[in-house]
Short mmCIF file of all heavy atoms in Angstrom, two decimals:
data_model
loop_
_atom_site.label_atom_id
_atom_site.label_comp_id
_atom_site.label_asym_id
_atom_site.label_seq_id
_atom_site.Cartn_x
_atom_site.Cartn_y
_atom_site.Cartn_z
N LYS J 240 10.70 -16.39 -31.52
CA LYS J 240 10.21 -15.18 -32.17
C LYS J 240 9.52 -14.25 -31.17
O LYS J 240 9.73 -13.03 -31.19
CB LYS J 240 9.26 -15.56 -33.30
CG LYS J 240 8.79 -14.36 -34.12
CD LYS J 240 7.92 -14.82 -35.30
CE LYS J 240 7.45 -13.62 -36.10
NZ LYS J 240 6.59 -14.04 -37.26
N GLU J 241 8.70 -14.82 -30.31
CA GLU J 241 7.98 -13.99 -29.34
C GLU J 241 8.92 -13.35 -28.33
O GLU J 241 8.74 -12.19 -27.95
CB GLU J 241 6.93 -14.85 -28.62
CG GLU J 241 5.79 -15.30 -29.52
CD GLU J 241 4.82 -16.21 -28.78
OE1 GLU J 241 5.15 -17.38 -28.60
OE2 GLU J 241 3.76 -15.71 -28.39
N LEU J 242 9.92 -14.11 -27.86
CA LEU J 242 10.89 -13.55 -26.93
C LEU J 242 11.66 -12.39 -27.55
O LEU J 242 11.88 -11.36 -26.93
CB LEU J 242 11.86 -14.63 -26.46
CG LEU J 242 11.42 -15.52 -25.30
CD1 LEU J 242 12.37 -16.68 -25.12
CD2 LEU J 242 11.35 -14.71 -24.01
N PHE J 243 12.07 -12.58 -28.79
CA PHE J 243 12.83 -11.53 -29.46
C PHE J 243 11.97 -10.29 -29.69
O PHE J 243 12.44 -9.16 -29.53
CB PHE J 243 13.39 -12.05 -30.78
CG PHE J 243 14.29 -11.06 -31.48
CD1 PHE J 243 15.62 -10.93 -31.12
CD2 PHE J 243 13.79 -10.24 -32.48
CE1 PHE J 243 16.43 -9.99 -31.74
CE2 PHE J 243 14.60 -9.31 -33.11
CZ PHE J 243 15.93 -9.19 -32.73
N THR J 244 10.71 -10.50 -30.06
CA THR J 244 9.81 -9.36 -30.30
C THR J 244 9.60 -8.55 -29.02
O THR J 244 9.54 -7.31 -29.05
CB THR J 244 8.46 -9.86 -30.83
OG1 THR J 244 8.66 -10.60 -32.04
CG2 THR J 244 7.52 -8.69 -31.10
N ALA J 245 9.49 -9.23 -27.89
CA ALA J 245 9.21 -8.53 -26.63
C ALA J 245 10.46 -7.91 -26.02
O ALA J 245 10.43 -6.74 -25.60
CB ALA J 245 8.58 -9.50 -25.63
N TRP J 246 11.56 -8.66 -25.96
CA TRP J 246 12.73 -8.20 -25.20
C TRP J 246 14.05 -8.29 -25.98
O TRP J 246 15.09 -7.89 -25.46
CB TRP J 246 12.90 -9.06 -23.92
CG TRP J 246 11.72 -9.08 -23.02
CD1 TRP J 246 10.79 -8.10 -22.86
CD2 TRP J 246 11.33 -10.14 -22.15
NE1 TRP J 246 9.85 -8.47 -21.94
CE2 TRP J 246 10.15 -9.73 -21.48
CE3 TRP J 246 11.84 -11.41 -21.84
CZ2 TRP J 246 9.49 -10.53 -20.55
CZ3 TRP J 246 11.19 -12.21 -20.91
CH2 TRP J 246 10.02 -11.77 -20.28
N GLY J 247 14.05 -8.80 -27.20
CA GLY J 247 15.29 -9.13 -27.90
C GLY J 247 16.03 -7.94 -28.48
O GLY J 247 15.48 -6.86 -28.69
N GLU J 248 17.32 -8.19 -28.77
CA GLU J 248 18.18 -7.17 -29.39
C GLU J 248 19.28 -7.90 -30.16
O GLU J 248 19.93 -8.82 -29.64
CB GLU J 248 18.78 -6.28 -28.32
CG GLU J 248 19.70 -5.19 -28.85
CD GLU J 248 20.27 -4.31 -27.76
OE1 GLU J 248 19.74 -4.35 -26.62
OE2 GLU J 248 21.23 -3.58 -28.04
N ASN J 249 19.48 -7.51 -31.43
CA ASN J 249 20.55 -8.11 -32.23
C ASN J 249 21.89 -7.50 -31.84
O ASN J 249 22.04 -6.27 -31.81
CB ASN J 249 20.30 -7.88 -33.72
CG ASN J 249 19.31 -8.88 -34.28
OD1 ASN J 249 19.41 -10.08 -33.98
ND2 ASN J 249 18.37 -8.42 -35.09
N THR J 250 22.87 -8.34 -31.52
CA THR J 250 24.20 -7.89 -31.12
C THR J 250 25.26 -8.68 -31.85
O THR J 250 24.97 -9.59 -32.63
CB THR J 250 24.39 -8.07 -29.60
OG1 THR J 250 24.48 -9.47 -29.31
CG2 THR J 250 23.23 -7.47 -28.81
N PHE J 251 26.52 -8.33 -31.59
CA PHE J 251 27.65 -9.06 -32.15
C PHE J 251 27.65 -10.53 -31.71
O PHE J 251 28.16 -11.40 -32.42
CB PHE J 251 28.95 -8.37 -31.70
CG PHE J 251 30.19 -9.09 -32.14
CD1 PHE J 251 30.65 -8.99 -33.45
CD2 PHE J 251 30.90 -9.88 -31.24
CE1 PHE J 251 31.79 -9.66 -33.83
CE2 PHE J 251 32.05 -10.55 -31.63
CZ PHE J 251 32.50 -10.43 -32.93
N TYR J 252 27.06 -10.79 -30.53
CA TYR J 252 27.03 -12.16 -29.98
C TYR J 252 25.77 -12.91 -30.38
O TYR J 252 25.53 -14.02 -29.89
CB TYR J 252 27.12 -12.11 -28.46
CG TYR J 252 28.32 -11.35 -27.96
CD1 TYR J 252 28.18 -10.04 -27.48
CD2 TYR J 252 29.59 -11.91 -27.97
CE1 TYR J 252 29.27 -9.33 -27.03
CE2 TYR J 252 30.69 -11.21 -27.52
CZ TYR J 252 30.53 -9.91 -27.05
OH TYR J 252 31.62 -9.21 -26.61
N GLY J 253 24.95 -12.34 -31.26
CA GLY J 253 23.70 -12.97 -31.66
C GLY J 253 22.52 -12.32 -30.98
O GLY J 253 22.65 -11.30 -30.29
N PRO J 254 21.33 -12.88 -31.12
CA PRO J 254 20.14 -12.30 -30.47
C PRO J 254 20.19 -12.49 -28.95
O PRO J 254 20.22 -13.63 -28.45
CB PRO J 254 18.98 -13.08 -31.09
CG PRO J 254 19.58 -14.37 -31.56
CD PRO J 254 20.99 -14.07 -31.94
N LEU J 255 20.20 -11.38 -28.22
CA LEU J 255 20.26 -11.40 -26.76
C LEU J 255 19.05 -10.67 -26.18
O LEU J 255 18.40 -9.87 -26.85
CB LEU J 255 21.55 -10.74 -26.26
CG LEU J 255 22.89 -11.33 -26.73
CD1 LEU J 255 24.05 -10.50 -26.18
CD2 LEU J 255 23.02 -12.78 -26.30
N ILE J 256 18.80 -10.94 -24.90
CA ILE J 256 17.73 -10.24 -24.19
C ILE J 256 18.26 -8.88 -23.73
O ILE J 256 19.29 -8.80 -23.04
CB ILE J 256 17.24 -11.06 -22.99
CG1 ILE J 256 16.63 -12.38 -23.45
CG2 ILE J 256 16.20 -10.26 -22.18
CD1 ILE J 256 15.39 -12.23 -24.30
N SER J 257 17.57 -7.82 -24.10
CA SER J 257 17.96 -6.45 -23.73
C SER J 257 17.36 -6.10 -22.37
O SER J 257 16.15 -6.22 -22.17
CB SER J 257 17.48 -5.47 -24.79
OG SER J 257 17.55 -4.14 -24.32
N ASN J 258 18.22 -5.67 -21.46
CA ASN J 258 17.69 -5.29 -20.13
C ASN J 258 16.85 -4.02 -20.22
O ASN J 258 15.91 -3.84 -19.44
CB ASN J 258 18.82 -5.16 -19.12
CG ASN J 258 19.85 -4.10 -19.47
OD1 ASN J 258 19.52 -2.93 -19.64
ND2 ASN J 258 21.12 -4.50 -19.58
N ASN J 259 17.17 -3.12 -21.16
CA ASN J 259 16.37 -1.89 -21.32
C ASN J 259 14.97 -2.20 -21.82
O ASN J 259 13.97 -1.66 -21.31
CB ASN J 259 17.06 -0.93 -22.28
CG ASN J 259 18.27 -0.25 -21.66
OD1 ASN J 259 18.34 -0.11 -20.44
ND2 ASN J 259 19.20 0.18 -22.48
N ARG J 260 14.87 -3.06 -22.83
CA ARG J 260 13.56 -3.42 -23.36
C ARG J 260 12.75 -4.20 -22.32
O ARG J 260 11.52 -4.07 -22.24
CB ARG J 260 13.72 -4.24 -24.64
CG ARG J 260 14.35 -3.50 -25.80
CD ARG J 260 14.13 -4.23 -27.10
NE ARG J 260 12.71 -4.28 -27.43
CZ ARG J 260 12.21 -5.07 -28.38
NH1 ARG J 260 13.02 -5.86 -29.09
NH2 ARG J 260 10.92 -5.08 -28.62
N PHE J 261 13.43 -5.01 -21.53
CA PHE J 261 12.77 -5.78 -20.49
C PHE J 261 12.15 -4.85 -19.45
O PHE J 261 10.98 -5.00 -19.06
CB PHE J 261 13.80 -6.70 -19.83
CG PHE J 261 13.27 -7.52 -18.68
CD1 PHE J 261 12.62 -8.72 -18.92
CD2 PHE J 261 13.44 -7.10 -17.38
CE1 PHE J 261 12.14 -9.49 -17.86
CE2 PHE J 261 12.96 -7.85 -16.31
CZ PHE J 261 12.31 -9.05 -16.56
N LYS J 262 12.91 -3.84 -18.98
CA LYS J 262 12.38 -2.90 -17.98
C LYS J 262 11.25 -2.06 -18.54
O LYS J 262 10.24 -1.82 -17.86
CB LYS J 262 13.53 -2.01 -17.47
CG LYS J 262 14.52 -2.74 -16.58
CD LYS J 262 15.64 -1.83 -16.11
CE LYS J 262 16.63 -1.55 -17.20
NZ LYS J 262 17.85 -0.86 -16.72
N ASN J 263 11.39 -1.58 -19.76
CA ASN J 263 10.33 -0.76 -20.37
C ASN J 263 9.07 -1.58 -20.62
O ASN J 263 7.96 -1.03 -20.59
CB ASN J 263 10.83 -0.15 -21.67
CG ASN J 263 11.75 1.04 -21.44
OD1 ASN J 263 11.38 1.99 -20.77
ND2 ASN J 263 12.95 0.98 -21.98
N TYR J 264 9.24 -2.87 -20.86
CA TYR J 264 8.08 -3.74 -21.06
C TYR J 264 7.19 -3.74 -19.82
O TYR J 264 5.97 -3.58 -19.90
CB TYR J 264 8.57 -5.16 -21.37
CG TYR J 264 7.48 -6.19 -21.53
CD1 TYR J 264 6.92 -6.44 -22.78
CD2 TYR J 264 7.01 -6.92 -20.44
CE1 TYR J 264 5.91 -7.39 -22.94
CE2 TYR J 264 6.01 -7.87 -20.59
CZ TYR J 264 5.47 -8.10 -21.84
OH TYR J 264 4.47 -9.03 -21.98
N PHE J 265 7.79 -3.90 -18.63
CA PHE J 265 7.01 -3.94 -17.40
C PHE J 265 6.60 -2.54 -16.94
O PHE J 265 5.56 -2.37 -16.31
CB PHE J 265 7.79 -4.66 -16.30
CG PHE J 265 7.81 -6.15 -16.48
CD1 PHE J 265 8.91 -6.78 -17.02
CD2 PHE J 265 6.71 -6.92 -16.14
CE1 PHE J 265 8.93 -8.15 -17.20
CE2 PHE J 265 6.72 -8.29 -16.31
CZ PHE J 265 7.83 -8.92 -16.85
N LEU J 266 7.42 -1.54 -17.28
CA LEU J 266 7.04 -0.16 -16.93
C LEU J 266 5.75 0.24 -17.65
O LEU J 266 4.87 0.89 -17.06
CB LEU J 266 8.17 0.80 -17.29
CG LEU J 266 7.92 2.28 -17.00
CD1 LEU J 266 7.80 2.53 -15.49
CD2 LEU J 266 9.03 3.14 -17.59
N SER J 267 5.62 -0.16 -18.91
CA SER J 267 4.42 0.19 -19.68
C SER J 267 3.18 -0.53 -19.17
O SER J 267 2.06 -0.09 -19.44
CB SER J 267 4.64 -0.16 -21.16
OG SER J 267 4.82 -1.56 -21.33
N ARG J 268 3.36 -1.62 -18.44
CA ARG J 268 2.22 -2.38 -17.91
C ARG J 268 2.03 -2.17 -16.42
O ARG J 268 1.19 -2.83 -15.82
CB ARG J 268 2.44 -3.88 -18.19
CG ARG J 268 2.29 -4.23 -19.65
CD ARG J 268 2.96 -5.56 -19.97
NE ARG J 268 2.68 -5.98 -21.34
CZ ARG J 268 3.27 -5.48 -22.41
NH1 ARG J 268 4.19 -4.52 -22.27
NH2 ARG J 268 2.96 -5.90 -23.62
N TYR J 269 2.80 -1.25 -15.84
CA TYR J 269 2.74 -1.08 -14.38
C TYR J 269 1.47 -0.34 -13.99
O TYR J 269 1.07 0.63 -14.66
CB TYR J 269 3.97 -0.30 -13.90
CG TYR J 269 4.39 -0.66 -12.50
CD1 TYR J 269 5.09 -1.84 -12.26
CD2 TYR J 269 4.09 0.14 -11.41
CE1 TYR J 269 5.49 -2.19 -10.99
CE2 TYR J 269 4.48 -0.20 -10.14
CZ TYR J 269 5.18 -1.37 -9.93
OH TYR J 269 5.56 -1.73 -8.66
N ARG J 270 0.85 -0.78 -12.91
CA ARG J 270 -0.44 -0.22 -12.50
C ARG J 270 -0.30 1.17 -11.90
O ARG J 270 -1.19 2.00 -12.01
CB ARG J 270 -1.09 -1.17 -11.50
CG ARG J 270 -2.54 -0.84 -11.22
CD ARG J 270 -3.10 -1.80 -10.20
NE ARG J 270 -2.88 -3.16 -10.59
CZ ARG J 270 -2.87 -4.19 -9.74
NH1 ARG J 270 -3.04 -3.97 -8.47
NH2 ARG J 270 -2.67 -5.40 -10.18
N GLU J 271 0.82 1.44 -11.25
CA GLU J 271 1.04 2.75 -10.63
C GLU J 271 1.49 3.74 -11.69
O GLU J 271 2.50 3.52 -12.37
CB GLU J 271 2.10 2.63 -9.54
CG GLU J 271 2.21 3.83 -8.64
CD GLU J 271 1.09 3.87 -7.61
OE1 GLU J 271 0.50 2.84 -7.31
OE2 GLU J 271 0.82 4.98 -7.11
N PRO J 272 0.79 4.86 -11.89
CA PRO J 272 1.14 5.76 -12.99
C PRO J 272 2.42 6.57 -12.74
O PRO J 272 3.18 6.81 -13.67
CB PRO J 272 -0.09 6.67 -13.09
CG PRO J 272 -0.69 6.65 -11.72
CD PRO J 272 -0.42 5.30 -11.16
N ASP J 273 2.64 7.02 -11.50
CA ASP J 273 3.77 7.90 -11.21
C ASP J 273 4.99 7.06 -10.84
O ASP J 273 5.33 6.90 -9.66
CB ASP J 273 3.42 8.86 -10.07
CG ASP J 273 2.28 9.77 -10.44
OD1 ASP J 273 2.17 10.12 -11.64
OD2 ASP J 273 1.48 10.12 -9.55
N CYS J 274 5.65 6.51 -11.82
CA CYS J 274 6.83 5.70 -11.57
C CYS J 274 7.82 5.88 -12.71
O CYS J 274 7.51 6.44 -13.76
CB CYS J 274 6.46 4.22 -11.39
SG CYS J 274 5.52 3.52 -12.76
N MET J 275 9.03 5.38 -12.50
CA MET J 275 10.09 5.56 -13.47
C MET J 275 11.08 4.41 -13.33
O MET J 275 11.04 3.62 -12.37
CB MET J 275 10.80 6.89 -13.23
CG MET J 275 11.46 6.96 -11.86
SD MET J 275 12.27 8.55 -11.56
CE MET J 275 12.92 8.28 -9.91
N ILE J 276 11.99 4.30 -14.28
CA ILE J 276 13.06 3.31 -14.20
C ILE J 276 14.20 3.90 -13.40
O ILE J 276 14.70 4.98 -13.69
CB ILE J 276 13.53 2.90 -15.61
CG1 ILE J 276 12.41 2.15 -16.34
CG2 ILE J 276 14.78 2.03 -15.52
CD1 ILE J 276 12.76 1.75 -17.75
N HIS J 277 14.61 3.18 -12.36
CA HIS J 277 15.69 3.62 -11.49
C HIS J 277 16.69 2.47 -11.38
O HIS J 277 16.48 1.54 -10.61
CB HIS J 277 15.16 4.01 -10.11
CG HIS J 277 16.22 4.43 -9.15
ND1 HIS J 277 16.42 3.83 -7.93
CD2 HIS J 277 17.17 5.40 -9.24
CE1 HIS J 277 17.43 4.39 -7.30
NE2 HIS J 277 17.89 5.35 -8.08
N GLY J 278 17.78 2.53 -12.16
CA GLY J 278 18.72 1.42 -12.19
C GLY J 278 18.04 0.20 -12.79
O GLY J 278 17.43 0.27 -13.86
N PRO J 279 18.06 -0.92 -12.08
CA PRO J 279 17.37 -2.12 -12.60
C PRO J 279 15.90 -2.18 -12.21
O PRO J 279 15.21 -3.12 -12.60
CB PRO J 279 18.15 -3.26 -11.93
CG PRO J 279 18.61 -2.68 -10.63
CD PRO J 279 18.88 -1.23 -10.89
N CYS J 280 15.42 -1.21 -11.44
CA CYS J 280 14.09 -1.30 -10.82
C CYS J 280 13.11 -0.31 -11.43
O CYS J 280 13.48 0.63 -12.11
CB CYS J 280 14.19 -1.03 -9.31
SG CYS J 280 15.38 -2.08 -8.44
N ILE J 281 11.85 -0.55 -11.12
CA ILE J 281 10.79 0.42 -11.33
C ILE J 281 10.54 1.07 -9.98
O ILE J 281 10.25 0.39 -9.00
CB ILE J 281 9.51 -0.24 -11.87
CG1 ILE J 281 9.78 -0.85 -13.24
CG2 ILE J 281 8.38 0.76 -11.96
CD1 ILE J 281 8.61 -1.64 -13.80
N SER J 282 10.67 2.39 -9.92
CA SER J 282 10.65 3.09 -8.64
C SER J 282 9.66 4.22 -8.66
O SER J 282 9.25 4.70 -9.73
CB SER J 282 12.06 3.63 -8.32
OG SER J 282 12.08 4.34 -7.11
N ASP J 283 9.23 4.65 -7.46
CA ASP J 283 8.40 5.83 -7.36
C ASP J 283 9.26 7.07 -7.52
O ASP J 283 10.49 7.00 -7.56
CB ASP J 283 7.66 5.85 -6.01
CG ASP J 283 8.61 5.96 -4.84
OD1 ASP J 283 9.69 5.37 -4.92
OD2 ASP J 283 8.28 6.63 -3.86
N LEU J 284 8.62 8.21 -7.62
CA LEU J 284 9.35 9.45 -7.91
C LEU J 284 10.29 9.85 -6.79
O LEU J 284 11.27 10.57 -7.02
CB LEU J 284 8.35 10.59 -8.17
CG LEU J 284 7.42 10.37 -9.38
CD1 LEU J 284 6.49 11.56 -9.55
CD2 LEU J 284 8.23 10.14 -10.66
N SER J 285 10.05 9.41 -5.55
CA SER J 285 10.92 9.76 -4.43
C SER J 285 11.96 8.68 -4.16
O SER J 285 12.73 8.79 -3.20
CB SER J 285 10.09 9.98 -3.17
OG SER J 285 9.40 8.80 -2.81
N ASN J 286 12.00 7.62 -4.99
CA ASN J 286 12.95 6.51 -4.83
C ASN J 286 12.84 5.83 -3.47
O ASN J 286 13.83 5.33 -2.93
CB ASN J 286 14.39 7.00 -5.04
CG ASN J 286 14.63 7.46 -6.47
OD1 ASN J 286 14.05 6.92 -7.41
ND2 ASN J 286 15.47 8.46 -6.64
N ALA J 287 11.64 5.83 -2.89
CA ALA J 287 11.45 5.19 -1.59
C ALA J 287 11.20 3.70 -1.71
O ALA J 287 11.52 2.93 -0.81
CB ALA J 287 10.30 5.86 -0.84
N VAL J 288 10.61 3.28 -2.82
CA VAL J 288 10.29 1.87 -3.04
C VAL J 288 10.80 1.48 -4.42
O VAL J 288 10.56 2.17 -5.40
CB VAL J 288 8.77 1.62 -2.95
CG1 VAL J 288 8.46 0.14 -3.12
CG2 VAL J 288 8.21 2.13 -1.63
N ASP J 289 11.50 0.36 -4.47
CA ASP J 289 12.01 -0.17 -5.73
C ASP J 289 11.39 -1.53 -6.01
O ASP J 289 11.39 -2.40 -5.13
CB ASP J 289 13.54 -0.31 -5.69
CG ASP J 289 14.24 1.03 -5.65
OD1 ASP J 289 13.69 1.99 -6.21
OD2 ASP J 289 15.33 1.12 -5.06
N HIS J 290 10.84 -1.69 -7.21
CA HIS J 290 10.24 -2.97 -7.61
C HIS J 290 11.09 -3.54 -8.73
O HIS J 290 11.23 -2.93 -9.79
CB HIS J 290 8.80 -2.76 -8.07
CG HIS J 290 8.03 -4.03 -8.19
ND1 HIS J 290 6.67 -4.08 -8.31
CD2 HIS J 290 8.43 -5.33 -8.19
CE1 HIS J 290 6.26 -5.33 -8.38
NE2 HIS J 290 7.31 -6.11 -8.33
N LEU J 291 11.64 -4.72 -8.49
CA LEU J 291 12.58 -5.34 -9.41
C LEU J 291 11.97 -6.59 -10.03
O LEU J 291 11.51 -7.49 -9.31
CB LEU J 291 13.87 -5.72 -8.66
CG LEU J 291 14.90 -6.53 -9.44
CD1 LEU J 291 15.53 -5.69 -10.54
CD2 LEU J 291 15.97 -7.08 -8.51
#
Side-chain angles (χ1 to χ4, degrees):
K240 185 176 180 180
E241 292 177 283
L242 276 170
F243 185 82
T244 302
W246 304 330
E248 180 179 345
N249 279 316
T250 70
F251 176 78
Y252 305 102
L255 301 177
I256 297 296
S257 166
N258 61 58
N259 286 335
R260 295 196 64 193
F261 178 84
K262 289 179 285 190
N263 283 304
Y264 177 90
F265 285 100
L266 179 66
S267 63
R268 289 160 173 77
Y269 210 77
R270 192 181 307 157
E271 192 77 22
D273 297 327
C274 55
M275 61 181 180
I276 293 178
H277 178 237
C280 306
I281 297 175
S282 178
D283 64 324
L284 298 180
S285 62
N286 294 327
V288 183
D289 292 330
H290 194 166
L291 173 69

